[in-house]
Amino acid sequence: QSLKPDNAAASESAAERFGLSPEIAPKAHPRRSANLQFPTDEFLPHIAGTGFVNSEPDVDGSMRRSPLLWQAGKRFYPQMFFQVALDYAGAEKPVYRLLARKLEVKDHGRVILSVPVEGPGEMLVHYAGKWNTDFPHLPYSTVLAVRNLRQEIANVEELLDRKYGQGSLEQLRREMMLAKLDKRLDEIAPLAERYGAKQRELVDFLERTLERGLERYAGSEPPASFRELQSERALLGDLQAKETELVQKLTQLVAGKIVIVGLTATGTHDIKPMPLQAAYPMVGMNANIVNTILTKNFIREAPGWVVLVVIFASALLICPITKRHSNWRGAFFTALYLVLYTLGAYVALSRWGV
């Protein structure tokens, strides 16, 4: 929620708790903002950390980079999933130092991370792949399936409790009938103990009554009311088994891992283009930020002088060739050079992250 005068104390407390005081080099120019939106007061006492998730597209509209620190007033705040990655890596008391071309993180006086940054402290995100090929995606419908199963279990349990409530004469009669019809006479005594000594006289009476009717039920199908009870109990057991199996699978999938919750549905506002895909859920960008930090598989933008050298070298190489040969040969050599240039760029990116 927006910071307002009536919750100024809460906002100041949050700023004190989550704000950073990094060392900023003179040539470093982190992004600044006058407006902050902290988590709501209901969440603040319960969260271990917070941060911003703002990123801006490049000139072509593609999401390639993310700032790692953001200044608001005298304090700085980390990119949320940059902070998550540091926490996951075990950083206890990180100290930040932002330079013109890198962001250093120290812990107990030792540099544990050095991230190459550009411009206003922005890191180039190294995408691991396209959506659903880079990291496991768990649809919210799967989580809803657990919720729906638990609701069904609660409904069946409520139905059984209402129809055959603990201690009720109807439940006692039905369970004793089932025990008799299944010829499990040894279940009668535990039933009597379950419902207390005060009902033993009733148990004895029902037992004598059922003994007279046992011959009529023996060898035939149980009455419809008993079949109904058995069916409802079977349904409850089946639902509980499915819920247990699904929870175990979900637990195995997320145990010990970083879980990021976000919008992925088509038509939501948080889907934007990135270098490998035209429509990519931005929750995946945050996952790639974490992955880039933890793997230290950084991408560095080539310095401006290197770009100029490559441009002039390309011109000096191609121009004489095209001048000496026919148009067709010139086009062939130009195309060959572009192929070799592309392969060289791919090798430089793969091996050296440039």
Side-chain angles (χ1 to χ4, degrees):
Q1 71 185 28
S2 301
L3 301 184
K4 301 176 182 178
D6 56 355
N7 66 349
S11 63
E12 181 61 29
S13 175
E16 182 70 27
R17 180 182 172 190
F18 300 116
L20 307 174
S21 298
E23 179 184 343
I24 306 296
K27 293 184 178 181
H29 303 286
R31 290 193 179 277
R32 301 170 182 265
S33 177
N35 300 316
L36 287 181
Q37 289 183 333
F38 284 106
T40 60
D41 295 343
E42 290 81 4
F43 285 111
L44 279 175
H46 309 288
I47 60 177
T50 189
F52 65 89
V53 292
N54 307 64
S55 296
E56 295 184 5
D58 282 353
V59 291
D60 63 350
S62 187
M63 303 296 293
R64 289 188 179 88
R65 51 191 94 222
S66 173
L68 299 181
L69 291 176
W70 203 295
Q71 185 176 3
K74 296 181 179 180
R75 293 186 175 88
F76 292 78
Y77 299 89
Q79 206 279 350
M80 180 181 291
F81 294 96
F82 173 52
Q83 188 67 42
V84 167
L86 291 177
D87 290 344
Y88 187 82
E92 297 178 355
K93 296 180 179 180
V95 177
Y96 304 86
R97 181 170 179 247
L98 180 61
L99 306 175
R101 300 277 295 180
K102 66 180 179 179
L103 172 62
E104 287 185 349
V105 181
K106 292 184 178 181
D107 192 25
H108 298 291
R110 181 175 60 90
V111 177
I112 61 171
L113 184 66
S114 181
V115 184
V117 296
E118 302 291 336
E122 294 179 331
M123 179 189 76
L124 282 167
V125 180
H126 195 158
Y127 287 94
K130 295 183 178 181
W131 180 250
N132 258 343
T133 65
D134 46 7
F135 306 105
H137 172 219
L138 182 63
Y140 187 56
S141 58
T142 308
V143 181
L144 282 180
V146 177
R147 175 185 177 277
N148 293 338
L149 275 174
R150 289 175 174 170
Q151 186 61 51
E152 288 187 55
I153 290 171
N155 292 340
V156 175
E157 288 177 336
E158 182 181 357
L159 175 65
L160 289 172
D161 185 64
R162 188 169 62 249
K163 294 174 68 174
Y164 322 107
Q166 183 80 2
S168 69
L169 177 62
E170 180 68 8
Q171 180 187 10
L172 184 61
R173 184 182 69 80
R174 288 172 181 269
E175 292 200 26
M176 289 183 64
M177 283 290 284
L178 284 174
K180 284 287 189 178
L181 291 171
D182 291 340
K183 298 182 180 180
R184 296 196 298 265
L185 299 179
D186 56 329
E187 292 188 11
I188 296 297
L191 285 172
E193 293 175 0
R194 184 191 306 176
Y195 295 109
K198 292 182 179 180
Q199 297 192 27
R200 185 167 299 279
E201 182 178 352
L202 176 60
V203 171
D204 293 339
F205 170 76
L206 289 175
E207 186 175 1
R208 290 194 302 272
T209 303
L210 294 174
E211 285 286 357
R212 292 194 295 270
L214 182 60
E215 184 177 351
R216 179 160 56 94
Y217 290 121
S220 61
E221 290 190 8
S225 57
F226 298 150
R227 293 199 302 271
E228 180 183 345
L229 176 59
Q230 288 175 319
S231 174
E232 290 166 348
R233 283 179 169 170
L235 173 61
L236 178 61
D238 183 55
L239 291 173
Q240 290 172 333
K242 289 181 179 179
E243 188 260 350
T244 300
E245 180 183 6
L246 186 54
V247 169
Q248 287 176 346
K249 289 182 178 179
L250 293 177
T251 302
Q252 292 173 359
L253 184 62
V254 303
K257 297 181 175 64
I258 297 172
V259 179
I260 303 176
V261 182
L263 299 174
T264 62
T266 304
T268 54
H269 70 278
D270 209 23
I271 296 182
K272 300 176 182 178
M274 62 90 152
L276 304 178
Q277 196 168 350
Y280 186 84
M282 284 296 98
V283 62
M285 182 180 183
N286 292 320
N288 279 281
I289 290 173
V290 173
N291 187 63
T292 302
I293 297 295
L294 292 180
T295 61
K296 298 182 180 180
N297 193 8
F298 301 114
I299 299 177
R300 298 166 179 83
E301 194 169 15
W305 67 267
V306 173
V307 176
L308 291 176
V309 169
V310 171
I311 291 174
F312 280 105
S314 300
L316 292 175
L317 180 64
I318 293 177
C319 288
I321 293 177
T322 55
K323 186 176 180 180
R324 293 177 183 177
H325 298 279
S326 64
N327 292 340
W328 286 107
R329 286 189 176 183
F332 170 78
F333 284 119
T334 302
L336 179 62
Y337 175 79
L338 290 176
V339 170
L340 294 176
Y341 176 84
T342 303
L343 290 175
Y346 175 78
V347 171
L349 178 62
S350 301
R351 292 199 172 189
W352 302 292
V354 179

